């Protein structure tokens, strides 16, 4: 069974930090690009970052640069998202997802083209 599940969310005060984890199983991890996404109630899903598990290259939309850092550990088949200087507007459900292929393909096609999704983790930032 393919598994790709986010964890590590919770309640944090504005200005604080969280480190989210994404555990993968059931597919060839280093053949995929992995992305982090978030969706707040009533809002469109946003791309946070992508990483290539093959070569470690990363992508961040301009709106996400500076406070978020993506990393991967191929031995553990895991991807992480370090979030710093959190703001109330960061409150959302955070998901990870995977797409077979390289980083450029994932960035070009967007979240509709991701192959595998799992249940997300709630991040709530209080003021």
């Amino acid at each position: 069974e393919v598994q790709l599940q986010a964890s590590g969310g919770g309640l944090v005060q504005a200005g604080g930090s969280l480190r989210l984890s994404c555990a993968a199983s059931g597919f060839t991890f280093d053949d995929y690009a992995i992305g982090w996404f978030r969706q707040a109630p009533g809002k469109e899903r946003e791309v946070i970052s992508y990483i290539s598990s093959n070569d470690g290259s990363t992508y961040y939309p301009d709106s996400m640069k500076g406070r978020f850092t993506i990393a991967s550990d191929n031995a553990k088949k895991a991807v992480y998202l370090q979030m710093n200087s959190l703001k109330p507007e960061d409150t959302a459900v955070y998901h990870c997802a995977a797409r077979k292929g390289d980083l450029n393909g994932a960035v070009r096609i967007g979240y509709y083209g991701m192959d595998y999704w799992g249940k997300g983790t709630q991040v709530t930032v209080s003021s």
Side-chain angles (χ1 to χ4, degrees), residues 45-60:
R45 189 184 304 276
E46 294 180 289
V47 175
I48 300 170
S49 183
Y50 293 101
I51 189 166
S52 169
S53 56
N54 180 260
D55 63 9
S57 58
T58 60
Y59 167 83
Y60 303 87

Side-chain angles (χ1 to χ4, degrees), residues 44-100:
E44 290 288 320
R45 189 184 304 276
E46 294 180 289
V47 175
I48 300 170
S49 183
Y50 293 101
I51 189 166
S52 169
S53 56
N54 180 260
D55 63 9
S57 58
T58 60
Y59 167 83
Y60 303 87
D62 287 344
S63 62
M64 298 296 175
K65 293 178 179 177
R67 297 189 295 120
F68 304 123
T69 304
I70 193 170
S72 63
D73 185 335
N74 286 14
K76 296 181 178 180
K77 299 184 70 174
V79 175
Y80 307 98
L81 183 68
Q82 179 67 43
M83 306 190 296
N84 299 322
S85 301
L86 286 165
K87 304 173 182 179
E89 51 263 45
D90 294 319
T91 296
V93 176
Y94 286 69
H95 298 262
C96 59
R99 181 184 184 274
K100 191 174 185 179

Side-chain angles (χ1 to χ4, degrees), residues 6-11 18-21 83 121-123:
S7 63
L11 177 64
L18 284 173
R19 186 176 186 247
L20 306 183
S21 298
M83 306 190 296
T121 185
Q122 176 72 45
V123 172

Side-chain angles (χ1 to χ4, degrees), residues 2-6 22-37 45 47 49-54 70 72 74 77-79 94-103 105-107 109-119:
V2 172
Q3 297 283 341
L4 192 65
Q5 299 294 329
C22 176
S25 63
F27 60 95
T28 305
F29 183 75
D30 60 4
D31 288 343
Y32 286 73
I34 311 296
W36 281 101
F37 308 84
R45 189 184 304 276
V47 175
S49 183
Y50 293 101
I51 189 166
S52 169
S53 56
N54 180 260
I70 193 170
S72 63
N74 286 14
K77 299 184 70 174
V79 175
Y94 286 69
H95 298 262
C96 59
R99 181 184 184 274
K100 191 174 185 179
D102 63 15
L103 180 69
V107 172
I109 295 173
Y111 68 81
Y112 285 109
M114 305 305 288
D115 295 323
Y116 303 128
W117 292 84
K119 293 181 179 179

